[in-house]
Short mmCIF file of all heavy atoms in Angstrom, two decimals:
data_model
loop_
_atom_site.label_atom_id
_atom_site.label_comp_id
_atom_site.label_asym_id
_atom_site.label_seq_id
_atom_site.Cartn_x
_atom_site.Cartn_y
_atom_site.Cartn_z
N THR B 82 -57.84 51.85 -38.48
CA THR B 82 -56.75 52.81 -38.72
C THR B 82 -55.42 52.07 -38.86
O THR B 82 -54.64 52.33 -39.80
CB THR B 82 -56.66 53.79 -37.53
OG1 THR B 82 -57.98 54.25 -37.24
CG2 THR B 82 -55.77 54.97 -37.85
N ALA B 83 -55.16 51.13 -37.94
CA ALA B 83 -53.90 50.38 -38.00
C ALA B 83 -53.81 49.57 -39.29
O ALA B 83 -52.76 49.52 -39.94
CB ALA B 83 -53.78 49.48 -36.78
N GLU B 84 -54.94 48.94 -39.67
CA GLU B 84 -54.94 48.11 -40.89
C GLU B 84 -54.60 48.95 -42.13
O GLU B 84 -53.80 48.54 -42.98
CB GLU B 84 -56.33 47.48 -41.09
CG GLU B 84 -56.75 46.57 -39.96
CD GLU B 84 -56.68 45.11 -40.34
OE1 GLU B 84 -56.51 44.84 -41.53
OE2 GLU B 84 -56.76 44.26 -39.43
N ILE B 85 -55.20 50.13 -42.20
CA ILE B 85 -54.94 51.00 -43.36
C ILE B 85 -53.49 51.47 -43.34
O ILE B 85 -52.79 51.42 -44.36
CB ILE B 85 -55.93 52.20 -43.37
CG1 ILE B 85 -57.34 51.70 -43.67
CG2 ILE B 85 -55.50 53.24 -44.40
CD1 ILE B 85 -58.43 52.73 -43.51
N LEU B 86 -53.03 51.86 -42.17
CA LEU B 86 -51.67 52.40 -42.07
C LEU B 86 -50.62 51.35 -42.43
O LEU B 86 -49.70 51.61 -43.20
CB LEU B 86 -51.41 52.91 -40.65
CG LEU B 86 -51.77 54.37 -40.40
CD1 LEU B 86 -51.51 54.73 -38.94
CD2 LEU B 86 -50.98 55.30 -41.31
N TRP B 87 -50.78 50.14 -41.87
CA TRP B 87 -49.71 49.17 -42.13
C TRP B 87 -49.84 48.51 -43.50
O TRP B 87 -49.04 47.67 -43.88
CB TRP B 87 -49.52 48.17 -40.99
CG TRP B 87 -50.57 47.14 -40.71
CD1 TRP B 87 -51.22 46.35 -41.58
CD2 TRP B 87 -51.05 46.79 -39.41
NE1 TRP B 87 -52.08 45.53 -40.92
CE2 TRP B 87 -52.01 45.76 -39.59
CE3 TRP B 87 -50.77 47.22 -38.11
CZ2 TRP B 87 -52.69 45.19 -38.52
CZ3 TRP B 87 -51.44 46.63 -37.05
CH2 TRP B 87 -52.39 45.64 -37.26
N THR B 88 -50.87 48.87 -44.25
CA THR B 88 -50.91 48.50 -45.66
C THR B 88 -50.35 49.64 -46.52
O THR B 88 -49.52 49.42 -47.41
CB THR B 88 -52.37 48.20 -46.10
OG1 THR B 88 -52.90 47.22 -45.21
CG2 THR B 88 -52.41 47.68 -47.52
N ALA B 89 -50.79 50.85 -46.22
CA ALA B 89 -50.44 51.99 -47.08
C ALA B 89 -48.96 52.36 -46.96
O ALA B 89 -48.29 52.61 -47.97
CB ALA B 89 -51.31 53.20 -46.72
N VAL B 90 -48.43 52.35 -45.74
CA VAL B 90 -47.04 52.80 -45.55
C VAL B 90 -46.05 51.90 -46.32
O VAL B 90 -45.22 52.42 -47.08
CB VAL B 90 -46.70 52.90 -44.04
CG1 VAL B 90 -45.21 53.14 -43.84
CG2 VAL B 90 -47.51 54.02 -43.39
N PRO B 91 -46.16 50.57 -46.22
CA PRO B 91 -45.23 49.74 -47.02
C PRO B 91 -45.41 49.93 -48.52
O PRO B 91 -44.43 49.90 -49.28
CB PRO B 91 -45.58 48.30 -46.62
CG PRO B 91 -46.22 48.42 -45.28
CD PRO B 91 -46.94 49.74 -45.29
N VAL B 92 -46.66 50.14 -48.97
CA VAL B 92 -46.88 50.34 -50.41
C VAL B 92 -46.16 51.61 -50.86
O VAL B 92 -45.47 51.62 -51.90
CB VAL B 92 -48.40 50.43 -50.72
CG1 VAL B 92 -48.63 50.95 -52.14
CG2 VAL B 92 -49.04 49.06 -50.56
N VAL B 93 -46.28 52.68 -50.08
CA VAL B 93 -45.62 53.94 -50.44
C VAL B 93 -44.10 53.75 -50.46
O VAL B 93 -43.41 54.17 -51.39
CB VAL B 93 -46.02 55.06 -49.45
CG1 VAL B 93 -45.16 56.30 -49.66
CG2 VAL B 93 -47.50 55.41 -49.62
N ILE B 94 -43.57 53.05 -49.45
CA ILE B 94 -42.11 52.82 -49.40
C ILE B 94 -41.66 52.00 -50.61
O ILE B 94 -40.65 52.31 -51.25
CB ILE B 94 -41.72 52.10 -48.08
CG1 ILE B 94 -41.98 53.04 -46.89
CG2 ILE B 94 -40.26 51.67 -48.11
CD1 ILE B 94 -41.81 52.37 -45.53
#
Side-chain angles (χ1 to χ4, degrees):
T82 314
E84 299 254 348
I85 290 171
L86 270 178
W87 69 46
T88 306
V90 171
V92 167
V93 170
I94 294 172

